[in-house]
Amino acid sequence: MKLDKTNKNNSSLIKLDSPEDIRNFLEKPTVAIAEFLTGLLAPKGTWPAPYVLSAGKVVQATIKGKLFKQLGKEINKYREEGKIKEDYFATHKNQASLLELLQFIDNDIPDEEIFKAMKSIFFTGVASDADARQEEVAYQFLLLCKKLNSMDILILKACYGIFIGKDLEGVNTGITNFGDWVSTVSEKIGYDLPELVSASDPKLVELGLLSARAHSDQSGIRAGKEFRLTKLGIKLCEFITRWE
């Protein structure tokens, strides 16, 4: 499956400046996959070797097809409701954002939490009230999200829920110990596996989404209602939760 916005001569390539092409593209995958699966069920030996995929590839293709169709339905729904711009693909930045989202789906098996986050970011950038600045921020956030995994997103959302006061039960925002912070976040996520939270911490700090730890043994954190979220982390969370 190829995604392109420049080659006008190849009818198999999607043109991001055409709403008809985008709609058709997002509606095709599940049909194509169904036809392919029908072919696989044909008598053994009727398919040339290069076209026989592993079971893993079939599952991967099925997942992608569902996500493409889901995205297409939501785009049409939000356009009809006036929640996103009628010409959401008109600007180069929004075209680039859509391409990033489509390419994310098309690569390997998409991470569900990252897909939901990127989809929310995309819709925030093309919302009916979005200006040029928000379009640019949305594009940058899409690029940033591709560096994260589902655990990273869950950690950020747990901290954001505490920051906005949505999930303050049993939380002490005045803690200054990293271990206590990890335990609290792990409990809010519901995994009860603090080691996973600790493993994600260095990357989130490096990307500027969480404040750095303190002391020579890295045991300290900055207390506060932000629960270690930086300004960048808070803004990203606003984008990834707006369309949940």
Side-chain angles (χ1 to χ4, degrees), residues 18 20 31 57 82 142 189-190 193 200 227 235 240:
S18 167
E20 186 69 21
V31 175
K57 289 290 186 181
L142 283 171
I189 292 174
L193 292 171
S200 287
F227 221 59
K235 180 59 67 173
I240 67 177

Side-chain angles (χ1 to χ4, degrees), residues 26-73:
L26 293 171
E27 289 176 351
K28 280 181 180 178
T30 48
V31 175
I33 290 166
E35 291 174 349
F36 176 73
L37 290 175
T38 300
L40 285 184
L41 296 176
K44 186 177 180 181
T46 59
W47 273 74
Y51 294 97
V52 179
L53 299 182
S54 67
K57 289 290 186 181
V58 173
V59 172
Q60 189 171 319
T62 304
I63 292 173
K64 290 178 182 180
K66 288 181 178 178
L67 294 184
F68 277 124
K69 197 168 184 78
Q70 177 186 337
L71 177 62
K73 287 182 177 178

